[in-house]
C-alpha cells in the first residue's frame, strides 16, 4: 500500500497526479534512463498511482548494469596480477564476470580496493610508487569528469604507475538505439537530470527531431519524476514532441562547460558494448590519443578478452524495456540480490534489484489496486 503522505509535499504530489490523470486520455509508455529514477518510481509506487495513465519501462540507466561482461573479465584479469592495486567503486565488486567477481579475486589475495573518488586512486598511486595502480572508470557522463580529472592529476604529479580501465558510456546513443529498434515501445523519454547537469540539453535535440519523441529532462525525487511525467503526457496528448527541462533548478542548457572541456581533452568517443544489448555505435568514451599512455587495457594487454553473455539472464530485454523484471522466469527464485544471475540484480541501481527490494513481485497494470491515493 502506497500513501501520498510518504511524499515530501503530499499536496503537490496530489496536484501533479490529478493533472496527469485529467490530461491523459489513454495509457502512455514512458521510459526513464536513470537508475535513481527507477528506484523512485518503484519505491514510491508511482507506477501504481499512475497505473491507468502511464506504463513505466526502465531503460539502460544503471552504469553498473550496462558494463559489458568482457570489460568485467578484463578488470578481473588485471586485478589478479600481483603487482597491481586495483581500485573500483564498491558496487562493481559483486558484479559477476564470466567465472568470478572482484570480491573473489580479493579473497584469493588480489589487492582490490574500494574508492569513493578516482582521486583516491591517484593518492594510492602516489603512496605506492613500486606498484601499478589501476582505476576502473565506469559510468555515464556524470562520473566521467572525475575520472578525467584523475588522469590530469596523475600526469601533473608525474605518476607513471597510474592507469585507468575505461568503460564510460553515453546516454543519448543508447536512447537512439532504443528508439530505432523495430520493437520500440517508447512514446516519451524522461532523460536523466544528473547527466544533463554535465552535458546540457542540446544533445537531445536531434533525437526529438528525428524520432518525433518527447524528451523531458527530469530529476530523481518522486515529485521530480511526476513533474517530468506531467510534461511528457501533456506533449503526447497534444501531439507535440519537444525537448523540455523539468529540472531547471539543476540543469542549464549548456551543462557544465568546465567539465565538458576536460572531458573533450581526456576522452574520445568510441563504439561501446552495452551488457545485454550489444555494441552501440559512438556510445562510449575511451582515452584520447594524447592520454593513451594511461590506458590499462594496453598496459596489461587485456584488450582481446572477449566473452559471450550468459543465456539464462534476460537483463538485455529488461534494459531495452521489453521485459519487466517480475516477468523474468528467474526473478526472485534462481536470481536474487544474494545470488544474482545478472547485473540488473547486482547493482543497487538495477531495475531487477529495485523490484526485489521493494517487494514488487507483480507488474502494475491498468487499474492496479492496493494504492491509497491519500
Ligand atoms: S531477474 Fe535476474 S536473471 Fe532475470 S533479468 Fe533480472 S538479473 Fe537477469
Amino acid at each position: 500500500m502506497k500513501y501520498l503522505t510518504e511524499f515530501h509535499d503530499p499536496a503537490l504530489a496530489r496536484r501533479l497526479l490529478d493533472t496527469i490523470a485529467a490530461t491523459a486520455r489513454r495509457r502512455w509508455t514512458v521510459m526513464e534512463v536513470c537508475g535513481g529514477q527507477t528506484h523512485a518510481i518503484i519505491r514510491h509506487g508511482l507506477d501504481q498511482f499512475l497505473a491507468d495513465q502511464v506504463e513505466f519501462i526502465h531503460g539502460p540507466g544503471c552504469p553498473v548494469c550496462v558494463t559489458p561482461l568482457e570489460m568485467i573479465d578484463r578488470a578481473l584479469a588485471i586485478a589478479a596480477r600481483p603487482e597491481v592495486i586495483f581500485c573500483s567503486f564498491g558496487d562493481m565488486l559483486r558484479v559477476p564476470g564470466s567465472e568470478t567477481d572482484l570480491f573473489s579475486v580479493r579473497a584469493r589475495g588480489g589487492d582490490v580496493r574500494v574508492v569513493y573518488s578516482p582521486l583516491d586512486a591517484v593518492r594510492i598511486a602516489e603512496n605506492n610508487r613500486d606498484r601499478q595502480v589501476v582505476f576502473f572508470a565506469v559510468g555515464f557522463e556524470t562520473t566521467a569528469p572525475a575520472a578525467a580529472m584523475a588522469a590530469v592529476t596523475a600526469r601533473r604529479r608525474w605518476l607513471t604507475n597510474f592507469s585507468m580501465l575505461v568503460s564510460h558510456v553515453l546516454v543519448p546513443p543508447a536512447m537512439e538505439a532504443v528508439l530505432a529498434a523495430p520493437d520500440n515501445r517508447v512514446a516519451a523519454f524522461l532523460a536523466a537530470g544528473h547527466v544533463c547537469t554535465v552535458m546540457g540539453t542540446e544533445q537531445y535535440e536531434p533525437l526529438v527531431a528525428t524520432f518525433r519523441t518527447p524528451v523531458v529532462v527530469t530529476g530523481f525525487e518522486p515529485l521530480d519524476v511526476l513533474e517530468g511525467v506531467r510534461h511528457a503526457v501533456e506533449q503526447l496528448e497534444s501531439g507535440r514532441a519537444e525537448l523540455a527541462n523539468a529540472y531547471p533548478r539543476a540543469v542549464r542548457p549548456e551543462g557544465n562547460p568546465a567539465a565538458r572541456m576536460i572531458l573533450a581533452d581526456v576522452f574520445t568517443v568510441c563504439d561501446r558494448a552495452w551488457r545485454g544489448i550489444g555494441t552501440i555505435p559512438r556510445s562510449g568514451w575511451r582515452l584520447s590519443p594524447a592520454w593513451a599512455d594511461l590506458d590499462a587495457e594496453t598496459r596489461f594487454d587485456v584488450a582481446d578478452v572477449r566473452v559471450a553473455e550468459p543465456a539464462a539472464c534476460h537483463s538485455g530485454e529488461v534494459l531495452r524495456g521489453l521485459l519487466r523484471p517480475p516477468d523474468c522466469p528467474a526473478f526472485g527464485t534462481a536470481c536474487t540480490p544474494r545470488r544474482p544471475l545478472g547485473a540488473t540484480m547486482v547493482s543497487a541501481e538495477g531495475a531487477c534489484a529495485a523490484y526485489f527490494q521493494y517487494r514488487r513481485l507483480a507488474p502494475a497494470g491498468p487499474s492496479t489496486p492496493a494504492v491509497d491515493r491519500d
Side-chain angles (χ1 to χ4, degrees):
M1 181 82 78
K2 298 292 178 186
Y3 297 94
L4 280 182
T5 48
E6 293 174 13
F7 287 77
H8 167 64
D9 184 339
L12 177 56
R14 170 150 218 150
R15 271 205 306 281
L16 287 166
L17 288 167
D18 287 346
T19 301
I20 295 166
T23 306
R25 287 173 301 202
R26 51 159 284 190
R27 194 172 189 240
W28 295 101
T29 304
V30 175
M31 175 179 273
E32 84 281 358
V33 196
C34 165
Q37 291 171 349
T38 302
H39 275 248
I41 289 164
I42 303 304
R43 178 176 184 182
H44 294 275
L46 303 188
D47 57 330
Q48 294 175 323
F49 280 116
L50 294 172
D52 291 330
Q53 294 84 29
V54 176
E55 179 190 359
F56 287 98
I57 53 178
H58 318 297
C62 157
V64 174
C65 306
V66 301
T67 301
L69 192 57
E70 62 191 24
M71 195 57 83
I72 304 290
D73 278 9
R74 287 171 197 167
L76 294 165
I78 295 172
R81 296 171 70 116
E83 75 274 25
V84 166
I85 300 173
F86 193 85
C87 300
S88 170
F89 296 130
D91 48 5
M92 293 305 296
L93 266 62
R94 289 180 58 237
V95 179
S98 52
E99 289 181 3
T100 184
D101 58 31
L102 285 167
F103 260 133
S104 303
V105 170
R106 184 160 79 175
R108 289 197 294 269
D111 195 344
V112 178
R113 303 188 190 182
V114 172
V115 293
Y116 297 96
S117 156
L119 292 172
D120 292 343
V122 175
R123 273 190 288 276
I124 291 170
E126 219 169 5
N127 295 330
N128 296 271
R129 289 178 185 260
D130 58 332
R131 307 275 304 278
Q132 286 289 324
V133 175
V134 182
F135 175 67
F136 197 5
V138 301
F140 293 109
E141 294 93 328
T142 335
T143 51
M149 199 62 222
V152 171
T153 306
R155 186 169 282 180
R156 276 189 195 145
R157 296 181 186 174
W158 301 97
L159 295 175
T160 56
N161 63 329
F162 177 81
S163 60
M164 299 200 299
L165 180 61
V166 177
S167 187
H168 283 300
V169 283
L170 305 172
V171 172
M175 293 166 63
E176 182 177 352
V178 169
L179 288 173
D183 46 9
N184 169 50
R185 299 175 55 231
V186 176
F189 271 112
L190 304 183
H194 64 307
V195 169
C196 299
T197 60
V198 176
M199 300 303 291
T201 57
E202 64 192 24
Q203 55 184 340
Y204 297 106
E205 284 168 3
L207 276 184
V208 173
T210 304
F211 294 96
R212 298 285 307 149
T213 300
V215 174
V216 182
V217 177
T218 303
F220 320 80
E221 296 296 326
L223 291 173
D224 289 325
V225 178
L226 287 179
E227 176 66 0
V229 171
R230 182 185 70 79
H231 275 269
V233 169
E234 282 182 0
Q235 286 195 43
L236 289 165
E237 286 292 348
S238 61
R240 292 178 289 129
E242 297 167 359
L243 173 61
N245 183 2
Y247 196 33
R249 71 178 187 276
V251 172
R252 291 173 296 178
E254 69 278 19
N256 182 330
R260 293 179 70 173
M261 200 179 304
I262 192 171
L263 287 168
D265 176 27
V266 173
F267 295 121
T268 187
V269 172
C270 63
D271 297 348
R272 177 71 73 201
W274 292 56
R275 191 165 196 172
I277 296 177
T279 298
I280 301 176
R282 299 183 58 75
S283 69
W285 272 320
R286 61 177 166 79
L287 289 161
S288 65
W291 296 86
D293 58 311
L294 296 186
D295 188 349
E297 283 189 49
T298 311
R299 191 175 294 191
F300 298 98
D301 195 21
V302 294
D304 287 338
V305 173
R306 305 211 179 271
V307 285
E309 300 281 346
C313 176
H314 296 271
S315 61
E317 291 156 71
V318 171
L319 291 169
R320 284 177 290 147
L322 304 179
L323 181 77
R324 297 173 65 91
D327 297 331
C328 171
F331 178 84
T333 52
C335 182
T336 67
R338 286 177 72 86
R339 290 182 173 275
L341 287 180
T344 43
M345 187 63 93
V346 174
S347 168
E349 289 193 18
C352 298
Y355 276 75
F356 190 90
Q357 182 178 348
Y358 302 114
R359 293 291 170 208
R360 297 290 302 282
L361 305 183
S367 300
T368 298
V371 175
D372 182 340
R373 295 194 52 180
D374 294 309

